[in-house]
Amino acid sequence: LLSILKPKEILEYIQILANIIIVAIENKRLYKREVEKKQLDKDIDLASKIQNMLIPNNLPKNKLYEFSGLYLPFKGIGGDYYDVIHINKNEFLFCIADISGKGIAAALVMANLQASLSALVGLNLNPIDMWKRLNRKIYSITKGDSFITLFAAKYNILTRTLEYLNAGHNPPVLLSADGKQKFLKTGCTLLGAFEELPKIELGQEIIGSNTTILCYTDGLTELENNDLEQYGMDRLSKFCQKNHKYGTDIFIKILHEDISKFKENRLFNDDISVLACKFL
């Protein structure tokens, strides 16, 4: 074929052939990228499903206490966690945590936190020792590059005593039956930021009848509306004051409606998790 073509025609033929080869190579590259993207999407979807299994759908409700939760991950996979863990027939622990960062890495740290905390609670350790061991476990995973804010409380149904630790987390709101508010701040610094916690102090409260405790992550108070105004602690405090007499299911439903209305058409800018507790 080339022998019957003129030099100019040969050059044009070579250019056409080269363009076809370039297009074919580019199509192969794009196809490979698409296959890799589909595989990544599958991995993310699987990670999201696994993580959702770690967030309890059915929280305890009985004549002594009730819990309800709200979990709104920022992009399918979040770094928030809450749970209620029964220790024995008279005691249980409830907690909420926020892992720094987002995506799969935060979800993996969250899964390790869930497993480690459940294991340590079952060992019936001295509380200070338990939190120190949990901190060391988290640090061994993150090496200080990631950290966790955590609020955890152990409740005794016989003495109605609540013993808690706030590890750098947004202070939960405790509302007594008459609406008086208290913020649960006592504890220590973040978990996983240092190999050894420099200081730990446990808080303690005697819980009266019809007391409500609202635990939440900073995604709630830092939620923005169209005017870039944050939901804020004052708004949340007023909401609690107005609605604390409701049961936890209704309380969470109204709160979800309130934050959805507040944010208008802006997207969530962080994971939002809420755990409502009512002691009857």
Side-chain angles (χ1 to χ4, degrees), residues 12-211:
E12 291 176 349
Y13 176 80
I14 293 173
Q15 288 176 336
I16 292 172
L17 185 60
N19 288 337
I20 292 173
I21 293 172
I22 291 171
V23 170
I25 293 172
E26 180 64 15
N27 285 340
K28 182 178 180 180
R29 187 180 67 82
L30 291 174
Y31 176 75
K32 182 180 179 182
R33 181 183 295 178
E34 181 66 20
V35 170
E36 291 173 346
K37 182 179 182 300
K38 287 183 178 179
Q39 184 59 50
L40 178 61
D41 289 342
K42 287 183 180 179
D43 291 344
I44 291 174
D45 182 59
L46 178 60
S48 178
K49 289 177 180 177
I50 292 173
Q51 184 195 27
N52 287 333
M53 291 172 63
L54 301 178
I55 301 293
N57 290 322
N58 298 312
L59 293 166
K61 291 181 177 63
N62 54 51
K63 64 181 181 179
L64 300 177
Y65 53 86
E66 59 180 44
F67 288 82
S68 296
L70 175 65
Y71 177 58
L72 302 171
F74 172 52
K75 285 186 177 179
I77 303 178
D80 286 0
Y81 163 68
Y82 59 76
D83 205 353
V84 179
I85 304 171
H86 285 88
I87 303 170
N88 53 56
K89 66 178 183 179
N90 295 323
E91 294 178 310
F92 62 85
L93 180 141
F94 62 95
C95 63
I96 189 167
D98 187 356
I99 290 83
S100 64
K102 298 178 177 67
I104 294 177
L108 289 173
V109 176
M110 186 270 268
N112 274 280
L113 169 66
Q114 190 264 358
S116 300
L117 182 58
S118 295
L120 288 170
V121 167
L123 296 178
N124 196 29
L125 299 169
N126 173 283
I128 299 294
D129 291 338
M130 186 181 81
W131 298 123
K132 286 183 176 180
R133 288 179 64 169
L134 181 63
N135 176 73
R136 285 195 293 268
K137 178 63 176 177
I138 299 302
Y139 183 85
S140 71
I141 297 168
T142 66
K143 303 302 181 184
D145 293 333
S146 182
F147 56 82
I148 295 173
T149 69
L150 170 82
F151 174 85
K154 183 177 74 171
Y155 181 69
N156 186 302
I157 63 175
L158 299 179
T159 64
R160 300 191 70 97
T161 301
L162 186 83
E163 184 180 72
Y164 73 87
L165 174 94
N166 188 327
H169 197 78
N170 299 78
V173 186
L174 185 153
L175 298 105
S176 55
D178 59 5
K180 291 182 179 179
Q181 295 189 12
K182 186 171 185 177
F183 298 94
L184 306 180
K185 301 178 180 180
T186 305
C188 63
T189 190
L190 314 163
L191 299 183
F194 307 100
E195 187 171 8
E196 295 293 337
L197 290 172
K199 180 182 178 182
I200 301 178
E201 183 181 0
L202 299 178
Q204 190 174 96
E205 297 289 336
I206 301 299
I207 304 299
S209 298
N210 294 311
T211 293

